[in-house]
Amino acid sequence: MSQRVLMKGNEALAEAAVRAGCRHFFGYPITPQTELAAYMAKRLPKIGGCFLQAESEIAAINMVLGASAAGARVMTSSSSPGISLKTEGISYIAGSDLPALIINIQRGGPGLGGIQPSQADYWQATKAPGHGDLHILVFAPNSVQEMVDTVASAFALADEYRMPAMILADGMLGQMMEPVVLPEEGNVTLPEKPWATNGHAGEVRNIANSLYIEAAELERLVKARFERYAEIEEKHSRHETYGLEDAEIVVTAYGATARVAKAAVRDARAKGIKAGLLRPVTLWPFPKKAFEDAAKSAKAFLCVEMSMGQMVDDVRLAVQCKRPVEFYGRTGGIIPTPAEVLAEIEKLAGGAE
Amino acid sequence: MSVKDTNVFERGSDVADRENAERDLPVTVRRDVNTVLAGFGGQGILFMGKVIAYAGLLDGREVSWLPSYGPEMRGGTANCSVCISDAQIGCPLVTAPDALIVMNQPSFEKFVPTVKPGGVIVVESSIITAKVECNNVAVHYVPATTLAEQHGLKGLANIILMGKLLAAAGFCSVETMTETIKKIVPARKAHLIPKNIEAIELGMKA
């Protein structure tokens, strides 16, 4: 087993991608994500890969589309405003049934916003990562180790279902260093991609395309895609629980905020409040069933985010109004503190008695 | 798929202390420490944080290192949060530190009031003339820049201050710190290893 090393989140994501067999990176620099691209710029040329800094995010995502169509394991990374520019390309990639990995190290918005950590792109990632009827896989790791562990499975699921996958992190996870155990370096066998447009060596000439003039044909394709989405929702939602068994107050948060929430839950328990944490690990598919189950015994839910309240919509839908769902958030780059979250838990506990 | 935490509510610092007692480790050496390091960009604030985090890594503990980033680093203030614990690190952003090193006046004003009661503050007193006014924290004034110059350790004021914090907060053993310096100083600067170790010893005695 590899040894524990101290690594910055952004650099660990890059090395994990390399070890997952990714040899193609197209991007454009933006804080707080830049170390990821910088790492790839140093690393990929040494191992026969291709790092290319494009003239814009739009160009970069279309290079991703091209490389993916040719069968390459390919990725890009950016931060919030840059992801907005990539959404057109993400829609085209989804519409062309191509796999790709997109990393969003979120910062405050809207507009150029700020450069401090944020989770205000939840709606964008899970509801409208581009125009049209589509979903992408969205993973929300909460530590440098989990970011590393997510990379290979995000690539694999994207390949399996021929769709884009996103790792939705934030400036705190990207910038921080933590001990991490990297996967072993070695030859990665990529899955066969018989659909790749790599020079029509075979009988069939493959085409990567998202334009369908015939309405009936487009409807048939979109419906077939949604059947795959249904299978993913059935099989691939992930979540983590902490002290949920006897919890009366279920705190829910994803990514870095889940760590703050967990610290607050620990403090609440020390004060005798029966609190627990339900952390969605995948945001699409959203772990609806875990929330349904938790709603059976919990008295109330508290959703904590670095936004004005976005995931809370999905929590309310999953809980189906059976229990009150309260919200606490900080935005614009402010990270909520465990003390603030604890105060909200105490408010709810007081009200529940 | 559901991943369950097996250590729920059992990994508090008291548990860590108990485990350490069983392992014959001095309890104080394995304390949880949440540290803030702050000063001007260029004083080696982030490097000092890396050294502390790396020491925690060598001890096989959980650590996190979170820098301030962005425009404030260009000529302005730089700060970072470092957590060392035997339990999983909750929030890597330290808002109520139990150990603080401050190397300039703006950081002194910003962070001194945030230190927890019972905490430790190390002040670079050749740069900061102000005194800490609250009496529920242990304050150590170390004229690190002056000391560094007197002892031929120019540029190692940060390491001197960290030595003082090591003595005062005991975030790792001296052996671990020596090992850390040997590993973290890059090979092309290996000649600086003895100087760094000297700076730590100087700080511990200051």
Side-chain angles (χ1 to χ4, degrees):
Chain A
M1 192 167 102
S2 303
Q3 61 174 21
R4 262 167 120 227
V5 291
L6 205 53
M7 264 184 121
K8 222 175 190 193
N10 282 334
E11 295 177 342
L13 277 167
E15 182 58 33
V18 166
R19 293 188 185 202
C22 176
R23 293 292 180 274
H24 296 79
F25 180 100
F26 306 100
Y28 188 84
I30 183 169
T31 304
Q33 161 280 160
T34 299
E35 294 86 356
L36 204 169
Y39 190 96
M40 286 302 208
K42 270 192 227 155
R43 185 86 161 93
L44 284 179
K46 288 182 192 156
I47 49 171
C50 171
F51 167 87
L52 200 149
Q53 181 174 318
E55 70 270 34
S56 72
E57 285 87 347
I58 298 172
I61 192 71
N62 283 293
M63 291 172 185
V64 169
L65 189 155
S68 178
R73 180 158 274 193
V74 58
M75 72 181 289
T76 185
S77 65
S78 191
S79 179
S80 308
I83 296 291
S84 289
L85 286 167
K86 289 184 199 287
T87 54
E88 178 193 69
I90 293 171
S91 174
Y92 278 59
I93 294 170
S96 308
D97 292 317
L98 295 172
L101 177 62
I102 300 126
I103 292 176
N104 183 0
I105 306 293
Q106 295 171 93
R107 57 188 252 182
L112 269 181
I115 57 169
Q116 299 302 322
S118 163
Q119 297 181 316
D121 301 347
Y122 178 94
W123 281 333
Q124 182 190 52
T126 62
K127 313 292 178 206
H131 61 278
D133 269 330
L134 73 102
H135 285 294
I136 62 173
L137 298 155
V138 184
F139 300 87
N142 72 340
S143 66
V144 176
Q145 183 67 59
E146 197 175 289
M147 289 206 289
V148 163
D149 297 341
T150 302
V151 169
S153 75
F155 271 126
L157 276 181
D159 279 344
E160 184 181 346
Y161 290 98
R162 292 177 60 182
M163 65 191 286
M166 177 180 280
I167 293 180
L168 189 67
D170 63 74
M172 182 152 84
L173 287 169
Q175 292 295 321
M176 73 188 286
M177 282 201 302
E178 280 188 307
V180 61
V181 178
L182 291 161
E184 294 289 347
E185 240 183 314
N187 290 327
V188 178
T189 315
L190 299 180
E192 290 289 318
K193 295 181 177 175
W195 44 263
T197 57
N198 51 4
H200 49 92
E203 296 278 307
V204 186
R205 215 170 139 160
N206 290 326
I207 296 171
N209 170 47
S210 70
L211 174 66
Y212 297 92
I213 295 296
E214 290 297 327
E217 189 187 10
L218 181 56
E219 187 191 49
R220 186 182 58 75
L221 275 167
V222 172
K223 281 188 164 175
R225 215 170 275 139
F226 269 70
E227 280 171 24
R228 296 204 293 279
Y229 294 159
E231 182 188 317
I232 296 167
E233 291 203 79
E234 189 64 37
K235 281 163 65 173
H236 296 293
S237 84
R238 300 180 197 169
H239 66 279
E240 185 190 72
T241 65
Y242 173 71
L244 209 58
E245 294 71 23
D246 62 341
E248 291 174 355
I249 293 164
V250 176
V251 183
T252 179
Y254 71 92
T257 309
R259 299 170 65 132
V260 177
K262 191 171 181 178
V265 165
R266 204 183 284 160
D267 295 344
R269 282 275 170 175
K271 290 188 161 198
I273 300 170
K274 285 186 177 170
L277 180 74
L278 174 46
R279 173 173 78 93
V281 175
T282 52
L283 302 180
W284 195 89
F286 193 71
K288 291 176 198 163
K289 185 154 186 313
F291 281 90
E292 275 172 40
D293 292 346
K296 285 174 193 156
S297 53
K299 285 183 181 161
F301 286 77
L302 173 66
C303 183
V304 185
E305 300 176 51
M306 284 193 277
S307 75
M308 291 302 287
Q310 301 192 3
M311 184 175 82
V312 66
D313 290 355
D314 283 335
V315 175
R316 288 194 175 117
L317 281 172
V319 170
Q320 296 169 17
C321 300
K322 286 176 186 154
R323 297 284 180 266
V325 178
E326 301 297 331
F327 174 75
Y328 181 75
R330 297 298 302 267
T331 195
I334 308 280
I335 300 163
T337 66
E340 288 168 12
V341 178
L342 176 62
E344 295 299 314
I345 295 172
E346 285 178 316
K347 243 193 266 176
L348 269 179
E353 274 161 12
Chain B
M1 184 175 75
S2 165
V3 187
K4 265 201 191 141
D5 220 313
T6 49
N7 293 328
V8 179
F9 312 128
E10 286 175 7
R11 294 290 302 180
S13 53
D14 53 326
V15 175
D17 280 354
R18 252 197 337 268
E19 285 175 5
N20 295 333
E22 282 161 18
R23 278 185 249 157
D24 284 335
L25 287 168
V27 169
T28 49
V29 172
R30 300 283 295 194
R31 263 204 318 225
D32 286 12
V33 186
N34 296 317
T35 312
V36 169
L37 314 161
F40 288 122
Q43 282 179 317
I45 297 289
L46 300 185
F47 179 75
M48 180 164 54
K50 279 183 196 173
V51 174
I52 296 173
Y54 202 90
L57 178 82
L58 283 190
D59 275 340
R61 308 181 71 187
E62 295 300 326
V63 299
S64 67
W65 173 93
L66 180 70
S68 59
Y69 60 89
E72 58 191 335
M73 284 174 75
R74 299 193 187 102
T77 59
N79 70 74
C80 74
S81 296
V82 180
C83 301
I84 306 182
S85 176
D86 287 314
Q88 191 186 35
I89 309 284
C91 182
L93 178 74
V94 178
T95 48
D98 32 42
L100 170 70
I101 297 178
V102 276
M103 291 187 74
N104 68 1
Q105 187 65 30
S107 305
F108 179 94
E109 283 159 21
K110 185 173 177 189
F111 294 108
V112 165
T114 66
V115 176
K116 272 189 184 167
V120 180
I121 303 176
V122 179
V123 178
E124 159 50 297
S125 61
S126 45
I127 293 172
I128 303 164
T129 50
K131 299 286 173 213
V132 177
E133 278 169 14
C134 70
N135 50 17
N136 59 2
V137 290
V139 188
H140 302 276
Y141 297 95
V142 181
T145 305
T146 312
L147 278 175
E149 278 166 13
Q150 285 167 354
H151 290 81
L153 300 169
K154 205 161 182 289
L156 293 176
N158 58 340
I159 303 299
I160 293 175
L161 295 168
M162 195 196 61
K164 185 72 214 177
L165 190 74
L166 177 61
F171 55 82
C172 72
S173 67
V174 177
E175 293 72 35
T176 299
M177 183 45 71
T178 309
E179 196 59 26
T180 300
I181 293 293
K182 285 180 189 160
K183 291 221 159 134
I184 208 167
V185 174
R188 63 193 157 81
K189 289 187 182 173
H191 61 284
L192 292 177
I193 290 173
K195 292 217 173 234
N196 275 273
I197 291 172
E198 195 187 332
I200 288 164
E201 286 167 354
L202 188 62
M204 291 186 78
K205 283 182 269 174

